[in-house]
Amino acid sequence: MADMRIVIVGASGRMGRMLVRAVCDTQGVTVAGATERSGSPFIGRDAGELAGVETLGIKITDNIQSCCEADVIIDFTAPAATLAHAAFAAEHGMGMVIGTTGFEAAQLDALREILSNSPVVMAANYSVGVNLALSLIERAAEVLGDDYDAEIFEAHHKHKVDAPSGTALAMGRALAAGRCVKLDETAVYSREGITGARKPGSIGFSVVRGGNIVGEHQAMFIADEERIEINHVASDRMVFAKGAVRAGSWLMSKDAGWYDMQDVLNLRD
Ligand code: NAD
């Protein structure tokens, strides 16, 4: 069978370089194109060399139209860029693996509309460990109920632009699903000043930004007598890149639809 052809958009970004490496390290997939935003100093550079692997003969371009000979786009860029890439993917019948986080609700609606006839995997976090943690959190919330105060903590590097992280929000949704409530109605995203006592049933979030922290997440279920913690620490971005390439390979055999890593890893009940 021919290799699956993957376009890496945002190929000079922190994740973009990892993705190029992950594709090069994976059998059955190949880098078919690499893009960057207009004005990037990396336009014209070889995507493989920039990623620290071999020369691939794939020059980074700011013209995605030159990448139409491909099966899947892997996109870890920024919301507005992902929307533009989605329109291109839909127009050329390509699948999409989306890792970008920080979408506004209206942008997400637009993304779903644009990709309504495409095979798509979208996940706030492509690590296998985090996706297992999401299942465990849902189950814990179901068993413990709201007698246990639920809090979610996350920490990331100083360059991250959105908060709480997409993964922390996914943990919040898993927790809310386990309790049969809506996250929007129970989340407390910040506390400052005279906040009053903790509202029963609320799901609290707290955030740290600093240095080069790759990604740490913790869900806490706190009772007067005990505390349960489900904790995940990512120590290398490659974990997300490998998961995204795995999602891309998995997508090859799928019909149009909106999937996440729980589907890719077969973690759904
Ligand atoms: P980054 O800023 O290092 O990389 C983003 C790259 O996208 C940059 O090089 C930027 O120039 C490029 N870009 C912007 N607009 C573009 C366009 N129109 N065309 C082509 N390239 C464009 O950021 P990062 O740390 O790599 O993270 C990128 C995104 O991925 C963020 O939203 C982050 O939260 C998310 N992320 C998700 C996961 C996950 O597992 N889902 C893991 C890590 C990061």
Side-chain angles (χ1 to χ4, degrees), residues 132-156:
L132 179 60
L134 290 174
S135 297
L136 297 174
I137 288 167
E138 185 169 342
R139 178 80 182 118
E142 197 180 302
V143 172
L144 299 172
D146 51 15
D147 288 346
Y148 288 67
D149 295 328
E151 293 283 316
I152 293 171
F153 164 83
E154 60 103 335
H156 279 88

Side-chain angles (χ1 to χ4, degrees), residues 8-17 19 35-38 40 42 61-62 64 75-82 84-85 98-103 122-127 156-157 159-162 165-167 214 237 239-241 244:
I8 307 294
V9 290
S12 76
R14 282 178 287 266
M15 279 305 300
R17 295 178 198 218
L19 287 159
T35 76
E36 254 304 329
R37 63 180 165 77
S38 300
S40 161
F42 298 105
T61 172
D62 60 359
I64 196 165
D75 187 329
F76 284 63
T77 59
T82 302
H85 297 143
I98 301 173
T100 306
T101 62
F103 291 93
M122 184 167 182
N125 191 306
Y126 279 88
S127 109
H156 279 88
H157 55 87
H159 306 290
K160 186 162 178 66
V161 295
D162 52 314
S165 70
T167 303
V214 173
R237 282 187 182 80
V239 74
F240 310 125

Side-chain angles (χ1 to χ4, degrees), residues 6 8 15-27 29 31 51 53 74 237-246:
I6 299 181
I8 307 294
M15 279 305 300
R17 295 178 198 218
M18 288 286 166
L19 287 159
V20 171
R21 271 174 51 194
V23 172
C24 292
D25 288 349
T26 307
Q27 295 245 319
V29 293
V31 180
V53 288
I74 303 187
R237 282 187 182 80
M238 187 50 101
V239 74
F240 310 125
K242 281 185 178 168
V245 173
R246 181 167 168 175

